[in-house]
Amino acid sequence: DGGTGASTALDARTNLEVGILYFTPEQYGAAATYNSAVDDTAFVQAAIDAAGNWSSAAFARRVLFSRMYKITSSLLKRPYVPIVGVGMARRGLMSFMSSGPAMDFNITVNTSSAFLDTFSGFRIDGTNATGSAYAMRISGQKIATFSNIGIWYFDTTEHSVQLLLGCQNIVLEQCYWLGNRLHERIGVPWTAGSFPTTITHRGCVYEGGLSTGAEAVIIEDSSNCAWDDCCLQ
């Protein structure tokens, strides 16, 4: 049950729930276990691309993180492709980058990539990140939920999560920022659209700073930013 080429019926693993297909980096060349000497970037991106290219409207598709993956350049999010793991302690991405985001949810990179997605149950780990590397750039993303996401140990010059320009109806629920020098940046709302920028935090925790100059959240313009049941530590 797997494939290495173009999307076919064998490229996805069917969940016990009818109509849900899982794409995994292992189907596109990733090994079964994590190895810090092996770059998994191309394998993870191939799984995201395959899920984005799936042609049948009869199936929902998701990318499943089944372990930690080493990445050395930004992963580009594709349209309508949820990414899931089974818990932030055991699944996700290990950033070995020196600049840019590990996951790029940027409408200027892919203009059709910014709608109706969910992301849950994994972490982005910056223990090996340096310079201006960070975890996520979310720009132009609309109607999306990030739940049980861990953003850990980015001791770099950039905020580990950056919500910028045109984010509409974003929910971050039970997300855990741990040991980052700069946790989160909420940028100036997008002036090109008439919709409000609504970013809702529920039960999120910001804990620990790795070096001097640490801060939790910087909000450059709070006029359209909503906070609900937010926990800050």
Side-chain angles (χ1 to χ4, degrees), residues 71-75 95-104 128-135 137 154 156-158 162:
I71 62 165
T72 57
S73 59
S74 297
L75 297 168
S95 174
F96 282 71
M97 298 167 59
S98 60
S99 64
M103 289 290 298
D104 198 347
N128 299 289
T130 59
S132 58
Y134 58 104
R137 173 167 56 186
F154 280 86
T156 65
T157 62
E158 295 288 336
Q162 302 192 29

Side-chain angles (χ1 to χ4, degrees), residues 35-188:
N35 182 343
S36 63
V38 176
D39 187 349
D40 293 312
T41 308
F43 310 133
V44 179
Q45 187 67 60
I48 294 171
D49 292 346
N53 288 331
W54 186 263
S55 59
S56 174
F59 293 92
R61 63 263 205 242
R62 298 174 182 171
V63 172
L64 174 65
F65 287 167
S66 57
R67 61 171 175 85
M68 299 299 297
Y69 302 93
K70 176 181 177 177
I71 62 165
T72 57
S73 59
S74 297
L75 297 168
L76 303 181
K77 180 256 189 192
R78 291 295 303 274
Y80 311 109
V81 176
I83 299 174
V84 299
V86 294
M88 70 178 74
R90 301 178 62 188
R91 304 291 188 264
L93 306 173
M94 295 290 296
S95 174
F96 282 71
M97 298 167 59
S98 60
S99 64
M103 289 290 298
D104 198 347
F105 307 81
N106 187 357
I107 198 169
T108 63
V109 173
N110 184 338
T111 56
S112 62
S113 69
F115 301 92
L116 299 169
D117 290 319
T118 59
F119 309 92
S120 65
F122 62 90
R123 80 176 186 267
I124 303 178
D125 193 308
T127 301
N128 299 289
T130 59
S132 58
Y134 58 104
M136 293 193 295
R137 173 167 56 186
I138 306 168
S139 178
Q141 178 76 46
K142 299 171 182 64
I143 315 176
T145 299
F146 297 80
S147 63
N148 300 110
I149 301 294
I151 309 297
W152 295 1
Y153 303 121
F154 280 86
D155 189 13
T156 65
T157 62
E158 295 288 336
H159 290 81
S160 61
V161 172
Q162 302 192 29
L163 295 104
L164 310 166
L165 299 175
C167 291
Q168 180 187 18
N169 196 9
I170 304 297
V171 176
L172 298 105
E173 187 167 25
Q174 294 185 319
C175 293
Y176 185 21
W177 282 258
L178 174 64
N180 306 292
R181 186 194 305 185
L182 305 168
H183 286 313
E184 183 181 8
R185 173 189 171 203
I186 299 174
V188 177

Side-chain angles (χ1 to χ4, degrees), residues 220-231:
E220 295 177 351
D221 186 337
S222 63
S223 59
N224 292 309
C225 182
W227 295 76
D228 177 30
D229 298 330
C230 181
C231 300

